[in-house]
Amino acid sequence: MENTEIDVETVVSHDGMPLTQFDTPIHKALEEQRLNRLAHFDVPGHKGGRGNKELREFLGEDTMRLDMNSMKPLDNLCHPTSVIKDAQALAAKAFGADEAFFIVNGATAAVQAMIMSCTEAGDKIIMPRNVHRSAINALVVNGAMPVYVNPGVNKRLGIPLGMSVEDVRRAIVENPDAKAILVNNPTYYGICSDIRSIVKIAHEHGMLVLADEAHGTHFYFGDNLPVSAMEAGADMAAVSMHKTGGSLTQSAILLTKNTVNADYVRQIINLTQTTSGSYLLLSSLDIARKNMSLNGRYLVNKSREYAEYARREINKLGGYYAFGIELINGDTVYDFDTTKLSVHTRDIGLAGIEVYDLLRDDYGIQIEFGDIGNILAIISGGDRNLEIERLISALSEIKRLHESEITGLFDHEYINPKIVMGPNKAFYSRKQPLLLRETKDRVCGEFVMCYPPGIPILAPGEMITQEIINYIEYAKEKGCLMTGTQDMNLEYINVVDEKGGN
């Protein structure tokens, strides 16, 4: 693996020493503690695995010994002053941010911290409706009000796209008191809005721009990819480092510019993030940042080449449509992430979730998700030629064995919502459970979504229409994992009690 264009610019550590992207402060401190033969009378109680031999045998002795608490030499995630502070400074430099915060509650916590640090109860925030549930969850908690910009929709694929700049401009003009704008960069399917133009318009009107970059970590390190949020001038970005950056699951980074008060953001993060940050997750962020800084260009370009090859070969099969840059229209699809392998399956008579299940059950291939019309395979520099060929061959076999008429298939993923009340008010209102088929024209009091991707079909405060009921019934029938409702079987939905009250 080759190192290319390595940034050797130094960062000054907490003790005045120079650090570069070759350094991993948290990793180094953990190694020193692992080797110093301390007698541990602190948590965790497994004491390096000696107190839980089965877990030690499963995860390995080294992993268990590195699972440590926030002792003085290891710093404290809630108030970093030494090695975590240094690691975060190196991450900020690597991503082109002014500050970086390590998150051990996933990009979900980073998205929520962004929203909660710039809005409070009653404040407006402009956002696309096809946001991840974490964004609307933040509104449920803090009482801010969404101003939704309906994304564009590709009618052939049935998927939501990005926000039109003119729609964003209109939302700003009609809501001059909004505090911020949230942008997906990119969507789950790899679609990007014109984030540079959105930043320019928002800043002209005194609004902050927040970017959900849960699926855009690699934008900071590869060639010929959409612009990253920090480069576009966004004020904050939530980066899910574990998805395409190589860290452990559940680890993420919140990036900020000096246009926001970083110390206040840290306080907001500490409202919900654990006080017992996992050093396994923290060190994985430290090491992954180093790896992406030194080798990211090679890894990301490799993943893009794999995805482009797979796209070409899958499209040769017929029936499938692995979509790419041809979708770019300069507006609702301003750019496309070519590392994403999104494949439309409806034209072979199969829902995406059916192809997902066939790949897993019959061919031993686990992809990221399948919805009612598409599948998504995440490609990274960790993949190999053999696995790419295996996926292509499996899709060919599935088409040969299972292709059928497309009659009766639901043809779109996104339904424009009708907002009746704010998410906070609806979620905490007095509610009553009704059978799904009886909820037409009632106000939803909870979330309904397929996971993945975790974009709500219904959010609290939205009107339940017959089209939405049909969509939910179809998704259930096809085997989508439905989440968000109090009823685990989704036979009932909690609707706002028409008598009102809390």
Side-chain angles (χ1 to χ4, degrees), residues 22 78 117 125 129-130 193 197 252 262 276 343 348 367 372 399 438 446 479 481 488 497-498:
F22 288 91
C78 296
S117 65
I125 178 170
R129 176 54 180 78
N130 57 323
S193 302
S197 295
S276 303
V343 184
I348 66 166
I367 59 173
I372 63 172
K399 177 178 181 291
E438 297 174 356
E446 56 188 355
L481 175 62
M488 296 291 286
D497 193 326
E498 292 181 337

Side-chain angles (χ1 to χ4, degrees), residues 244-488:
T244 56
S247 64
L248 290 178
T249 296
Q250 198 176 309
S251 57
I253 301 176
L254 175 55
L255 306 170
T256 67
K257 290 286 194 177
N258 285 338
T259 48
V260 299
N261 183 336
D263 289 324
Y264 179 65
V265 172
R266 174 174 44 79
Q267 288 183 311
I268 294 295
I269 292 171
N270 286 338
L271 292 177
T272 55
Q273 180 156 255
T274 177
T275 57
S276 303
S278 165
Y279 278 87
L280 298 175
L281 298 182
L282 293 173
S283 59
S284 82
L285 284 170
D286 201 17
I287 296 168
R289 180 271 311 154
K290 174 185 175 182
N291 185 43
M292 293 303 285
S293 295
L294 305 187
N295 306 305
R297 184 179 180 187
Y298 166 79
L299 291 168
V300 175
N301 290 346
K302 179 182 174 186
S303 67
R304 192 188 69 247
E305 290 167 4
Y306 276 156
E308 292 282 25
Y309 169 76
R311 210 174 343 264
R312 289 193 302 270
E313 295 302 308
I314 291 168
N315 284 332
K316 289 177 184 177
L317 299 176
Y320 296 109
Y321 175 32
F323 48 93
I325 59 172
E326 71 281 355
L327 297 183
I328 293 174
N329 59 22
D331 187 26
T332 52
V333 187
Y334 186 78
D335 210 343
F336 183 81
D337 175 11
T338 50
T339 71
K340 291 283 189 298
L341 183 59
S342 300
V343 184
H344 187 59
T345 65
R346 196 171 67 89
D347 291 344
I348 66 166
L350 292 175
I353 188 63
E354 292 175 311
V355 176
Y356 171 102
D357 288 339
L358 286 166
L359 285 169
R360 173 64 187 264
D361 298 341
D362 294 356
Y363 298 91
I365 296 173
Q366 179 64 60
I367 59 173
E368 177 67 10
F369 82 89
D371 55 33
I372 63 172
N374 306 275
I375 59 172
L376 172 65
I378 296 294
I379 310 295
S380 82
D383 284 306
R384 297 172 294 183
N385 286 314
L386 176 65
E387 289 146 348
I388 302 295
E389 295 292 353
R390 186 174 165 189
L391 173 61
I392 296 166
S393 297
L395 289 174
S396 177
E397 277 291 287
I398 288 171
K399 177 178 181 291
R400 184 178 68 83
L401 296 173
H402 300 281
E403 186 172 16
S404 62
E405 296 295 322
I406 66 171
T407 54
L409 292 184
F410 212 89
D411 64 356
H412 57 284
E413 294 290 336
Y414 180 75
I415 301 172
N416 287 342
K418 181 179 179 182
I419 313 300
V420 179
M421 64 177 67
N424 174 275
K425 181 178 179 181
F427 187 84
Y428 290 109
S429 68
R430 186 166 60 194
K431 298 184 284 287
Q432 63 176 126
L434 292 179
L435 285 168
L436 173 60
R437 63 178 178 272
E438 297 174 356
T439 60
K440 183 176 180 292
D441 297 331
R442 297 297 294 271
V443 178
C444 188
E446 56 188 355
F447 288 93
V448 182
M449 70 201 85
C450 301
Y451 189 86
I455 298 168
I457 302 167
L458 279 169
E462 296 178 358
M463 180 70 71
I464 304 172
T465 64
Q466 188 61 52
E467 183 181 18
I468 289 173
I469 293 171
N470 293 344
Y471 181 105
I472 294 171
E473 289 178 334
Y474 180 84
K476 286 180 63 179
E477 176 190 335
K478 291 299 182 183
C480 292
L481 175 62
M482 309 297 291
T483 69
T485 50
Q486 197 172 102
D487 175 15
M488 296 291 286

Side-chain angles (χ1 to χ4, degrees), residues 60-327:
E61 184 175 349
D62 283 348
T63 299
M64 298 298 286
R65 293 182 66 187
L66 288 169
D67 184 31
M68 300 182 192
N69 190 33
S70 297
M71 64 183 75
K72 229 176 190 180
L74 295 181
D75 207 356
N76 187 293
L77 182 59
C78 296
H79 193 94
T81 59
S82 61
V83 293
I84 295 177
K85 179 181 178 181
D86 294 344
Q88 291 183 156
L90 286 167
K93 179 69 70 175
F95 282 89
D98 292 317
E99 300 283 348
F101 299 92
F102 283 4
I103 305 292
V104 295
N105 294 28
T108 287
V111 168
Q112 292 173 349
M114 288 195 303
I115 293 172
M116 293 168 65
S117 65
C118 63
T119 63
E120 56 187 50
D123 285 343
K124 295 178 183 177
I125 178 170
I126 298 168
M127 61 174 66
R129 176 54 180 78
N130 57 323
V131 289
H132 187 263
R133 66 173 294 177
S134 57
I136 305 177
N137 281 350
L139 307 183
V140 169
V141 173
N142 82 336
M145 295 291 292
V147 175
Y148 289 130
V149 173
N150 285 321
V153 174
N154 182 293
K155 292 184 179 179
R156 175 184 176 185
L157 303 175
I159 63 171
L161 305 174
M163 294 186 291
S164 164
V165 171
E166 286 309 307
D167 287 346
V168 173
R169 191 191 309 274
R170 186 179 306 112
I172 289 173
V173 170
E174 293 174 357
N175 300 274
D177 53 341
K179 302 294 185 183
I181 299 172
L182 179 70
V183 183
N184 292 322
N185 195 53
T187 69
Y188 225 130
Y189 300 98
I191 307 295
C192 294
S193 302
D194 184 359
I195 190 171
R196 284 191 193 274
S197 295
I198 291 172
V199 166
K200 184 175 184 295
I201 298 167
H203 286 174
E204 287 172 353
H205 290 80
M207 299 179 190
L208 298 173
V209 176
L210 323 177
D212 181 347
E213 284 192 309
H215 292 272
T217 303
H218 51 292
F219 287 2
Y220 292 86
F221 303 101
D223 297 323
N224 302 313
L225 291 175
V227 65
S228 69
M230 290 292 101
E231 185 179 345
D235 302 281
M236 289 189 268
V239 175
S240 192
M241 194 70 169
H242 72 90
K243 287 186 171 68
T244 56
S247 64
L248 290 178
T249 296
Q250 198 176 309
S251 57
I253 301 176
L254 175 55
L255 306 170
T256 67
K257 290 286 194 177
N258 285 338
T259 48
V260 299
N261 183 336
D263 289 324
Y264 179 65
V265 172
R266 174 174 44 79
Q267 288 183 311
I268 294 295
I269 292 171
N270 286 338
L271 292 177
T272 55
Q273 180 156 255
T274 177
T275 57
S276 303
S278 165
Y279 278 87
L280 298 175
L281 298 182
L282 293 173
S283 59
S284 82
L285 284 170
D286 201 17
I287 296 168
R289 180 271 311 154
K290 174 185 175 182
N291 185 43
M292 293 303 285
S293 295
L294 305 187
N295 306 305
R297 184 179 180 187
Y298 166 79
L299 291 168
V300 175
N301 290 346
K302 179 182 174 186
S303 67
R304 192 188 69 247
E305 290 167 4
Y306 276 156
E308 292 282 25
Y309 169 76
R311 210 174 343 264
R312 289 193 302 270
E313 295 302 308
I314 291 168
N315 284 332
K316 289 177 184 177
L317 299 176
Y320 296 109
Y321 175 32
F323 48 93
I325 59 172
E326 71 281 355
L327 297 183

